[in-house]
Structure formats: structure tokens, C-alpha cells
């Protein structure tokens, strides 16, 4: 089962007017992995995640999640955390939990409530009255409380304090199961280095490298953070 592809991206290309955000990008991921998607700003990371989640349509190429193209059929397989807060400010955490429970059959309400309690988030206060960091914690908690096959996390730890960052990374590890994969885009490579199994380097919308984190560290004698700085040095 683990050898069967969970995600297959084949020849993906996406143009914004005449500018290619992705160019002939191909990638295959198997279940049971935590994979870091790494590249500088403007390299196509967010575009890739949005296409996989079904929010954008590619100009060319295809995406398959367990044999399903992005869309209505794949919605129950993919949990997507955008790089911006998408939950309306008038909603309380309690209301957002109820909304997710109604919308997603795989949502674990008790898990979400426990995570928010652990993070010190008031359940009855409108999100618009919380700090940006607290709102980001709420959104991540809701996404990670789904029992999805593929989690797409766009900069999940960039706006939170170091203590919450550690809790979030532990949560990601806890949510990780043999039949699910987490694809996480981040600039905080040193923070995620210990939890990831594989990594993808993307530059100018093209796949630069896809490798095992452990094997690359042994081969290069460097940390992933050092390899990233070397590959993308200005």
C-alpha cells in the first residue's frame, strides 16, 4: 500500500498572463511521508499547492490524488492550509469548529477543541478580535483535525511564537499516519528539519531536487538548511 502513489503531479504548467509560475513540474509522493516544499519567494510553491487542492486550474499537465483529479471527488482526501487566514473574523473558534464538522465528514471535533485549549485559544471569542498569531493557530488546528490522506500546509509556522511552533510540529507528527502524507511549504527550514522525511527544492516553477532528507544529509555532510542556502544563494 505504501508503495502506491498518493500524489502524482505530471508535467504541471501554470501561466499568469505570459509568466510561467510552474513549468513542466512533475512529482510523485507515496503515503506515510512528511515532505518539505522549499524554495525562495516566487518559486511556485503556493501555486502548486493551490492546484493540488483544486483552487487553481493548470495551464497544462495533470494532478492525481489516489487516482482522483482535484475537485469534488478529492475534497475528502485533501486538507489544505492556505498561506493567508481564510476564516471570517466574525466567526468564533466554536462556530468555526461547527462549520468544519458540517463540511468535512473526516473532521474530529474533539481533537480540534483539545488543540485549541492546549494553545490557549478562547472558543467563544470572534477571530477578528484575536491576534494574527492566534488566528493562524485556529486555522491550523482545524485543518490538522481532519483525517485526510494528503495535508497541504502553506507556511503553517511562520506567524507563531517559538513555543507554539514546537507544539504545532508535535501535532503534525501526531497527525502523521502510515496512509497519509504531509506536504509542508516553509522558509523556517531549521525548525522543520528534524520532522521531515523528504524534501523538494523548487526554483522558477521547476523541480530542482527531490530527495530523502537523511540520505542527502549523509551524502552532502550538511544540514538541509545549509543545502538550501547553497542551492539558492543570491
Amino acid at each position: 500500500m505504501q508503495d502506491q502513489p498518493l500524489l502524482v503531479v505530471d508535467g504541471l504548467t501554470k501561466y499568469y498572463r505570459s509568466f510561467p509560475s510552474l513549468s513542466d513540474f512533475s512529482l510523485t509522493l507515496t503515503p506515510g511521508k512528511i515532505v518539505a516544499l522549499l524554495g525562495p519567494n516566487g518559486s511556485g510553491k503556493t501555486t502548486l499547492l493551490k492546484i493540488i487542492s483544486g483552487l487553481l486550474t493548470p495551464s497544462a499537465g495533470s494532478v492525481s490524488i489516489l487516482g482522483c483529479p482535484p475537485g469534488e471527488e478529492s475534497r475528502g482526501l485533501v486538507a489544505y492550509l492556505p498561506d493567508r487566514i481564510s476564516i471570517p473574523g466574525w466567526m468564533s473558534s466554536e462556530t468555526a469548529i461547527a462549520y468544519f464538522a458540517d463540511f468535512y465528514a473526516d473532521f474530529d471535533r474533539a481533537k480540534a477543541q483539545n488543540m485549541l485549549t492546549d494553545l490557549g485559544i478562547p472558543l467563544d471569542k470572534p477571530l477578528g478580535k484575536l491576534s494574527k498569531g492566534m488566528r493562524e493557530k485556529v486555522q491550523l488546528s482545524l485543518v490538522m483535525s481532519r483525517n485526510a490522506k494528503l495535508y497541504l500546509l502553506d507556511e503553517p509556522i511562520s506567524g507563531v511564537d517559538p513555543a507554539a511552533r514546537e507544539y504545532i510540529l508535535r501535532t503534525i507528527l501526531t497527525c502523521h499516519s502510515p496512509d497519509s502524507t504531509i506536504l509542508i511549504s516553509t522558509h523556517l527550514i531549521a525548525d522543520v528539519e528534524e520532522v521531515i522525511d523528504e524534501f523538494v527544492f523548487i526554483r522558477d516553477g521547476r523541480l530542482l531536487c527531490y530527495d530523502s532528507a537523511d540520505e542527502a544529509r549523509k551524502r552532502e555532510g550538511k544540514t538541509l538548511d545549509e543545502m538550501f542556502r547553497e542551492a539558492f544563494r543570491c
Side-chain angles (χ1 to χ4, degrees):
M1 175 66 182
Q2 288 196 18
D3 293 330
Q4 295 179 352
L6 172 58
L7 171 69
V8 178
V9 177
D10 184 22
L12 211 58
T13 297
K14 177 64 178 178
Y15 280 93
Y16 291 107
R17 295 196 176 99
S18 60
F19 176 77
S21 179
L22 290 173
S23 299
D24 195 25
F25 187 97
S26 297
L27 178 69
T28 298
L29 300 182
T30 54
K33 305 292 186 182
I34 299 178
V35 184
L37 179 63
L38 308 172
N41 289 332
S43 58
K45 300 187 300 297
T46 294
T47 298
L48 175 63
L49 296 180
K50 284 184 174 180
I51 291 175
I52 297 171
S53 69
L55 294 177
L56 284 178
T57 302
S59 305
S62 64
V63 174
S64 172
I65 305 103
L66 290 177
C68 301
E72 191 69 30
E73 200 173 349
S74 69
R75 182 180 296 172
L77 302 173
V78 178
Y80 172 58
L81 176 76
D83 60 339
R84 298 181 180 180
I85 297 168
S86 59
I87 302 173
W90 60 264
M91 275 192 180
S92 66
S93 297
E94 203 166 41
T95 305
I97 287 172
Y99 175 82
F100 265 66
D102 285 343
F103 200 73
Y104 297 108
D106 62 2
F107 184 72
D108 188 332
R109 183 191 291 261
K111 183 177 182 180
Q113 290 173 332
N114 290 337
M115 286 181 66
L116 293 175
T117 299
D118 288 345
L119 289 167
I121 308 293
L123 295 180
D124 58 348
K125 196 170 184 179
L127 269 63
K129 295 187 177 180
L130 302 179
S131 68
K132 181 175 181 287
M134 292 179 81
R135 297 199 304 274
E136 288 180 344
K137 292 174 190 175
V138 171
Q139 186 157 275
L140 177 63
S141 298
L142 294 171
V143 171
M144 295 310 297
S145 294
R146 288 186 56 197
N147 295 309
K149 297 297 183 184
L150 178 63
Y151 296 86
L152 306 173
L153 310 181
D154 199 349
E155 295 291 345
I157 57 175
S158 60
V160 300
D161 56 88
R165 199 173 295 162
E166 289 183 13
Y167 176 85
I168 288 166
L169 290 174
R170 287 199 308 272
T171 300
I172 290 173
L173 279 172
T174 302
C175 294
H176 182 228
S177 67
D179 63 347
S180 69
T181 281
I182 298 172
L183 182 58
I184 174 173
S185 168
T186 183
H187 288 101
L188 300 171
I189 302 169
D191 289 275
V192 302
E193 180 141 4
E194 290 187 6
V195 306
I196 67 167
D197 302 302
E198 300 173 344
F199 67 94
V200 174
F201 281 172
I202 180 174
R203 179 167 59 194
D204 298 330
R206 296 182 181 273
L207 179 68
L208 183 64
C209 174
Y210 170 44
D211 205 346
S212 159
D214 285 342
E215 290 178 9
R217 281 190 289 256
K218 290 175 184 176
R219 184 177 63 247
E220 303 294 332
K222 301 172 183 176
T223 66
L224 185 55
D225 192 32
E226 290 170 334
M227 284 184 269
F228 178 88
R229 293 173 188 273
E230 186 175 288
F232 297 103
R233 183 178 293 120
C234 295

